[in-house]
Amino acid sequence: MSDDWSARQYLKFEDERTRPPRDLLAQVPLQSPRRVVDLGCGPGNSTELLIERYPQAEVIGLDSSPDMLRQARERLPGRPFVAGDIATWNPDERTDLLFANAVFQWVPDHPTVLRRLLERLPQGGVLAVQMPDNTTEPALALMRETASAGPWAAPLAKAAAARDDLPTTGAYYDLLRPLCTRLDIWHTVYNHVMAGPQGIVEWFKGSALRPFLSPLDDEMRSGFVADFMARIARAYPARFDGKVLLRFPRLFILAVR
Ligand SMILES: C[S@@+](CC[C@H](N)C(=O)[O-])C[C@H]1O[C@@H](n2cnc3c(N)ncnc32)[C@H](O)[C@@H]1O
């Protein structure tokens, strides 16, 4: 399995995954930004929202994954999508909106990067960020538990550390507020209806499971998935209609320079 992101797997739950960027964009106070950059644009689902909202703006998607960029270019032909790493990338002076849905949780030392990017925005510019705040949810705890309890424990020793808990809201406030005229931080907890435990496993194969599955060969990977699935089935009981609810807390940050 390649370490690249799979656009196809990610988009299996496109409606659910596109709801947080809709909710985030609804709070962006800009009327007519000149340049908008979708950081970690993925397959272009969040970029499409930005183009709909700001048809006059120059909207650019940036991502580090070739598969995601290919998918985004197919989805939105003629639009600029560029390869880049958020850890080192900088906006140019015409950039009025940096939009980052579901990406900063993967960027090492992301608070420092958020601060640097915010510093580079012009007066009135906006940094809008959403990250899953779910590392203590059962599904993620069970990923780590599965990783440490099987024949795959050695190759996965580093995977469990791939995502830290997010800093507290207070820490983000202290870090970013000195650079802002307005800072709004909030949480939303979604409850996604999944067809069954299999749905939860499929959901995370497109995101948080990637660091656990990519180091394994086919046989180990099947064993890992079966073990994880059994744990998920115990932790997420079926509702009256056989469906399961995937509780999903997310953190939103809206910073106006
Ligand atoms: C979960 S997807 C989010 C896709 C889309 N923004 C959305 O709203 O659904 C995360 C994306 O961030 C990209 N990514 C992760 N780390 C990155 C980095 N350091 N620089 C640029 N892109 C990165 C991944 O390739 C992936 O496409």
Side-chain angles (χ1 to χ4, degrees):
M1 184 176 172
S2 131
D3 196 34
D4 192 12
W5 285 76
S6 161
R8 190 182 54 79
Q9 186 70 32
Y10 186 73
L11 286 173
K12 280 186 183 169
F13 299 93
E14 177 165 1
D15 287 351
E16 290 85 352
R17 292 208 200 270
T18 306
R19 186 157 159 203
R22 281 186 199 287
D23 294 348
L24 178 62
L25 186 54
Q27 299 306 321
V28 173
L30 296 171
Q31 294 306 317
S32 48
R34 293 164 297 175
R35 178 171 291 169
V36 172
V37 183
D38 188 14
L39 297 173
C41 62
N45 51 323
S46 45
T47 322
E48 196 168 282
L49 298 179
L50 292 165
I51 292 169
E52 273 166 25
R53 165 95 187 261
Y54 298 119
Q56 308 301 332
E58 182 186 5
V59 179
I60 299 168
L62 178 128
D63 206 285
S64 54
S65 154
D67 188 50
M68 288 294 195
L69 286 169
R70 188 185 47 71
Q71 185 84 14
R73 287 181 185 122
E74 269 173 33
R75 181 179 186 136
L76 297 164
R79 293 285 175 173
F81 287 97
V82 297
D85 183 348
I86 295 166
T88 51
W89 178 87
N90 279 303
D92 77 11
E93 61 201 12
R94 284 170 48 80
T95 306
D96 292 323
L97 173 58
L98 293 176
F99 191 83
N101 185 66
V103 59
F104 269 102
Q105 72 275 17
W106 297 109
V107 177
D109 190 19
H110 74 258
T112 305
V113 181
L114 288 177
R115 202 183 143 92
R116 174 174 57 76
L117 291 174
L118 186 57
E119 268 170 349
R120 310 265 160 133
L121 287 180
Q123 188 74 29
V126 172
L127 172 67
V129 175
Q130 183 279 124
M131 287 174 275
D133 194 0
N134 63 344
T135 46
T136 58
E137 289 298 303
L140 272 81
L142 292 172
M143 253 172 238
R144 297 188 294 267
E145 206 176 289
T146 308
S148 64
W152 39 75
L156 295 187
K158 283 205 198 116
R163 280 231 345 243
D164 290 333
D165 296 344
L166 295 185
T168 62
T169 46
Y172 286 115
Y173 184 89
D174 291 346
L175 182 77
L176 302 178
R177 185 65 184 89
L179 298 170
C180 298
T181 54
R182 185 181 145 209
L183 179 65
D184 189 1
I185 305 176
W186 72 99
H187 279 87
T188 298
V189 180
Y190 299 88
N191 288 283
H192 299 303
V193 181
M194 300 277 131
Q198 169 75 27
I200 296 184
V201 175
E202 286 300 314
W203 172 288
F204 285 113
K205 275 189 193 169
S207 54
L209 268 177
R210 295 179 50 261
F212 294 92
L213 298 183
S214 57
L216 303 181
D217 62 28
D218 286 351
E219 197 186 332
M220 285 255 208
R221 199 176 310 132
S222 316
F224 183 99
V225 169
D227 188 327
F228 179 58
M229 174 95 78
R231 291 171 200 263
I232 289 286
R234 287 194 290 275
Y236 291 85
R239 308 317 316 169
F240 81 98
D241 54 359
K243 304 264 181 12
V244 294
L245 294 179
L246 173 60
R247 203 187 101 94
F248 208 121
R250 293 180 181 270
L251 171 74
F252 294 77
I253 300 174
L254 187 95
V256 182
R257 189 79 166 108

